[in-house]
Amino acid sequence: MKTMLTMKRIFQLLPVLLLVTIRLHAQRPPAISSPDVQTDHSITFRYFSRTAQRVYVSGEFLKAPVAMKKDTSGIWSVTVPPVTPDIYPYSFWVDSVQIADPNNTYIFANERFKRSIVDIPGDKPLIHSLQNVPHGKVSYQYYNSTTLGTTRTLLVYTPPGFKADGKIKYPVLYLIHGGSDTEETWTKVGRANLIADNLIAQKKAKPMIIVMPYGNVRPKPMADFTQDVIKDIIPFIEANYPVIKESKGRAVAGFSVGGGQTLNIGLTNTDKFAYICSYAPYTATDEFKKNFKNWSPDAAAMNKQLKLFTISVGTEDFLYESVKQNIAMFQEKKIKIEPLIVPGGHTWMNCKLYLTNTLQQIFK
């Protein structure tokens, strides 16, 4: 009798379970591919939502956001015309809310913007592309920051053939990211490791170690990062890696906020850095004003210490005018500087170009 009651309850529940299954299946989003890069370098983007009223795609390859169209299944899509091969950030705007592409695992490493990345390969391998050459290694490291009173992270690129216990002493580039980026942005977006691999393979760059620290020290004063680099990061690297411990074996470079930090770090420590390369530097900071508002450098001594001092910027960069003013200020102070002015804006596309130039200029 008990078995019959149990079977009866099961049969009574079957229609309910079937209905729930059907509803869950109906709510499950379809499997879609996005982005799809075509052979002509056009790109198709897709996004699923039955309830959204408007969906746009926005990217640094577009002059303005482009509307996507919805089909009967709830898939929004659009194909944009051919794009110049490079790596570009993009995002979707869903009813005025910016989101990363949920079907793309290639995410822009950033603490503020929610963007994805699309990689349009060239007809010939681009300098940042994965090529059949010997590859270095990127490792995550922890170091004790006595300046900031905490344990912090950084990334370290070691070149192909690197041996920690070998006889070779390597030069080091300290490479700083932009304002809301992270220590991973230089590898995940800037492809610094692959650019280095390819240039080293082409014998256009010296084998070197590249250190990519996390430049945001908030809620501490941002100026503390300079001391963190000098007092904690450099000693950590020199205690754990076979490196040249003289200024001729050290370079510092950075983009945007990191470009401003590069100027603060490098130009106030020319005894420690023979190479200073600043990319589209943001310098509207208290630290920069303190260091350079009433600056009276010994230009002859500084020019003797520095083997290379460059500032790079794009003509469409929103910082273009302020960067030109800074270049003029350094020239007025008789500091030897090599400006690099190129087309384009405040983008990681330009940033890769700046880094490519730097790697071929330093440690010669």
Side-chain angles (χ1 to χ4, degrees):
M1 185 66 176
K2 186 175 181 180
T3 301
M4 292 179 62
L5 287 172
T6 301
M7 292 297 294
K8 184 177 179 180
R9 288 175 181 172
I10 290 174
F11 282 117
Q12 288 173 339
L13 287 172
L14 280 175
V16 177
L17 293 172
L18 181 61
L19 181 61
V20 170
T21 301
I22 292 172
R23 287 181 176 177
L24 287 174
H25 181 74
Q27 293 172 1
R28 182 181 300 169
I32 59 177
S33 177
S34 178
D36 283 340
V37 179
Q38 316 302 330
T39 55
D40 67 348
H41 303 148
S42 62
I43 317 168
T44 298
F45 297 94
R46 298 181 182 88
Y47 174 75
F48 172 76
S49 174
R50 289 194 177 90
T51 59
Q53 299 299 307
R54 294 174 300 172
V55 180
Y56 291 81
V57 61
S58 174
E60 294 186 356
F61 47 87
L62 297 169
K63 293 182 178 179
V66 175
M68 301 172 71
K69 294 183 178 179
K70 183 173 69 170
D71 65 15
T72 55
S73 67
I75 297 177
W76 299 75
S77 65
V78 68
T79 298
V80 301
V83 174
T84 301
D86 210 321
I87 299 172
Y88 298 92
Y90 73 94
S91 58
F92 293 148
W93 288 88
V94 181
D95 294 338
S96 300
V97 177
Q98 184 186 27
I99 65 170
D101 186 343
N103 294 287
N104 184 358
T105 58
Y106 193 178
I107 300 296
F108 194 110
N110 189 278
E111 295 177 336
R112 179 180 174 191
F113 303 109
K114 307 305 178 186
R115 294 184 290 186
S116 299
I117 293 291
V118 59
D119 186 353
I120 299 95
D123 297 326
K124 294 182 179 179
L126 301 177
I127 194 63
H128 61 256
S129 63
L130 179 64
Q131 300 182 30
N132 185 22
V133 299
H135 295 291
K137 180 181 179 182
V138 176
S139 60
Y140 289 71
Q141 298 287 2
Y142 297 97
Y143 71 97
N144 178 42
S145 173
T146 58
T147 299
L148 302 169
T150 187
T151 299
R152 308 192 81 228
T153 61
L154 50 76
L155 298 186
V156 179
Y157 164 85
T158 49
F162 172 82
K163 293 182 180 179
D165 57 353
K167 296 182 179 180
I168 298 176
K169 302 291 185 181
Y170 292 90
V172 184
L173 168 61
Y174 294 86
L175 188 59
I176 309 167
H177 58 78
S180 59
D181 298 323
T182 75
E183 70 275 20
E184 295 184 312
T185 312
W186 268 114
T187 54
K188 292 188 174 180
V189 183
R191 300 277 185 90
N193 53 319
L194 296 184
I195 294 173
D197 287 344
N198 295 333
L199 289 175
I200 291 171
Q202 295 171 19
K203 299 189 183 305
K204 293 180 178 179
K206 294 282 188 180
M208 68 184 77
I209 290 173
I210 303 177
V211 177
M212 293 156 277
Y214 178 46
N216 183 5
V217 299
R218 293 185 178 91
K220 296 282 188 178
M222 286 301 288
D224 286 357
F225 180 65
T226 295
Q227 295 305 310
D228 187 44
V229 171
I230 300 300
K231 295 181 178 179
D232 296 304
I233 294 176
I234 291 177
F236 171 81
I237 294 298
E238 296 187 347
N240 290 279
Y241 292 87
V243 301
I244 299 170
K245 299 180 181 181
E246 300 169 325
S247 64
K248 67 179 181 179
R250 298 192 201 101
V252 59
F255 173 52
S256 190
V257 170
Q261 289 172 319
T262 292
L263 297 175
N264 289 315
I265 294 167
L267 292 176
T268 60
N269 294 278
T270 51
D271 60 320
K272 293 180 173 60
F273 298 96
Y275 306 88
I276 301 171
C277 305
S278 179
Y279 311 147
Y282 176 78
T283 57
T285 64
D286 292 338
E287 183 180 12
F288 190 83
K289 293 175 184 176
K290 178 182 178 182
N291 287 333
F292 301 106
K293 185 176 181 180
N294 298 308
W295 191 43
S296 299
D298 183 340
M302 186 169 288
N303 290 332
K304 187 176 180 180
Q305 290 172 318
L306 291 175
K307 294 180 179 295
L308 177 69
F309 175 32
T310 68
I311 294 182
S312 306
V313 70
T315 53
E316 287 82 51
D317 196 308
F318 75 94
L319 293 174
Y320 179 53
E321 292 301 325
S322 68
V323 171
K324 286 200 304 180
Q325 292 171 12
N326 285 325
I327 290 172
M329 181 269 288
F330 290 123
Q331 290 173 332
E332 183 182 343
K333 301 291 184 180
K334 307 301 182 183
I335 304 300
K336 291 182 181 179
I337 183 172
E338 297 184 19
L340 176 63
I341 311 297
V342 300
H346 198 76
T347 68
W348 275 88
M349 290 81 78
N350 263 1
C351 213
K352 295 194 299 294
L353 170 63
Y354 304 149
L355 178 64
T356 299
N357 286 337
T358 290
L359 295 182
Q360 296 178 83
Q361 292 177 302
I362 60 178
F363 307 133
K364 297 298 186 180

